[in-house]
Amino acid sequence: MAKQGKPTRGAPKTSQEDWINTALDTLISEGVDSVKISVLSAKLNCARSSFYWYFKDRRDLLEVLLDQWQNRNTHAILERAGEPADSICFALTNLFSCWISPDGKTEKPFDTRLDFAVREWARRDGSVRRAVDISEELRINAIISMFERYGYEREEARIRARIVYYTQIGYEALDIRESNLDRAKAGRNYLLCLTGKTPTDAEIEAVVKLTGLSVQELKD
């Protein structure tokens, strides 16, 4: 794992965070093959030697990137799926918040582009493939548990969890350009179809609020 830099004489001007962020951006935009010390140092306009202040080697950096992905994306789903809620519709709304930015600008808890970059990386690296498989199981199990908390039998909870998760991943993979207004209008029916429960006015208001809009604005 990466070691923490020490603020002593001769320390590089670039921080560990600089290297990690540049590596993440490169992974997302260019793929793992471009995450090389020479490429990153050129982007950071610094000497390659400064890399070794924070990392043992390239593999060490790649492990950090995987940790960053897990800590952001998988953690986001586990956290939101486990949040207390008064009903399954409210719980599902909490989960939806992983992927929705109310103003279209605020950073979402779940980084879709990073997720797809790691999945592409997994196609050519067995250890990353195993990490993705483990992550997928954790994510789906968290959603299964979410449904079970509201009285769904295990098998029904499993199928509903898979539908919720695969629908969302597919939605992101297709890069559907849908406005928050369109999402808000569809909120009620998403809750109905994914849970099998007719949402209350309060539940509809909560899912619409995720988009930064209000139910009243949909009526105007």
Side-chain angles (χ1 to χ4, degrees):
M1 296 303 298
K3 58 186 179 182
Q4 294 297 320
K6 303 175 183 179
T8 60
R9 182 177 299 177
K13 294 180 180 179
T14 52
S15 67
Q16 184 183 55
E17 186 177 6
D18 291 332
W19 283 97
I20 292 172
N21 288 339
T22 302
L24 285 170
D25 289 343
T26 302
L27 174 65
I28 291 170
S29 61
E30 302 173 37
V32 70
D33 288 345
S34 292
V35 182
K36 298 177 179 178
I37 301 170
S38 58
V39 172
L40 301 179
S41 63
K43 290 184 176 184
L44 289 167
N45 192 27
C46 68
R48 292 181 55 177
S49 59
S50 67
F51 172 87
Y52 298 99
W53 185 262
Y54 306 112
F55 308 96
K56 292 185 296 185
D57 50 30
R58 177 176 182 265
R59 189 68 205 177
D60 189 26
L61 171 61
L62 293 180
E63 289 178 2
V64 171
L65 299 189
L66 270 183
D67 287 344
Q68 292 277 320
W69 163 70
Q70 290 279 23
N71 291 336
R72 176 163 186 176
N73 285 5
T74 300
H75 175 74
I77 291 177
L78 269 56
E79 180 181 55
R80 300 302 167 91
E83 287 183 354
D86 291 337
S87 69
I88 183 58
C89 286
F90 280 128
L92 190 58
T93 297
N94 290 338
L95 184 62
F96 284 159
S97 68
C98 286
W99 295 282
I100 299 177
S101 170
D103 57 9
K105 298 177 182 179
T106 305
E107 189 174 61
K108 304 171 188 175
F110 188 99
D111 188 331
T112 299
R113 295 178 64 215
L114 175 59
D115 218 59
F116 291 153
V118 171
R119 291 174 188 279
E120 182 60 32
W121 178 9
R123 295 178 186 273
R124 58 187 88 176
D125 188 316
S127 63
V128 179
R129 175 73 264 174
R130 288 189 292 276
V132 169
D133 289 342
I134 291 170
S135 176
E136 294 281 51
E137 185 174 5
L138 287 171
R139 296 174 184 187
I140 292 175
N141 282 342
I143 303 173
I144 291 173
S145 295
M146 181 187 78
F147 276 100
E148 287 184 314
R149 290 201 306 274
Y150 299 94
Y152 292 80
E153 296 294 333
R154 178 70 181 184
E155 186 57 21
E156 181 180 355
R158 186 179 73 86
I159 297 303
R160 288 190 182 278
R162 288 161 65 96
I163 291 172
V164 168
Y165 182 68
Y166 295 151
T167 296
Q168 185 61 50
I169 295 299
Y171 183 98
E172 300 291 340
L174 292 172
D175 194 23
I176 296 175
R177 303 303 175 90
E178 186 177 47
S179 69
N180 276 354
L181 176 60
D182 289 333
R183 282 189 170 190
K185 289 179 177 178
R188 176 190 179 280
N189 286 327
Y190 271 121
L191 292 178
L192 172 62
C193 293
L194 292 174
T195 68
K197 310 288 185 181
T198 300
T200 65
D201 289 345
E203 290 165 344
I204 295 171
E205 183 177 359
V207 76
V208 169
K209 188 176 180 180
L210 284 180
T211 67
L213 301 172
S214 68
V215 173
Q216 184 59 49
E217 287 177 283
L218 301 185
K219 297 177 180 179
D220 293 341

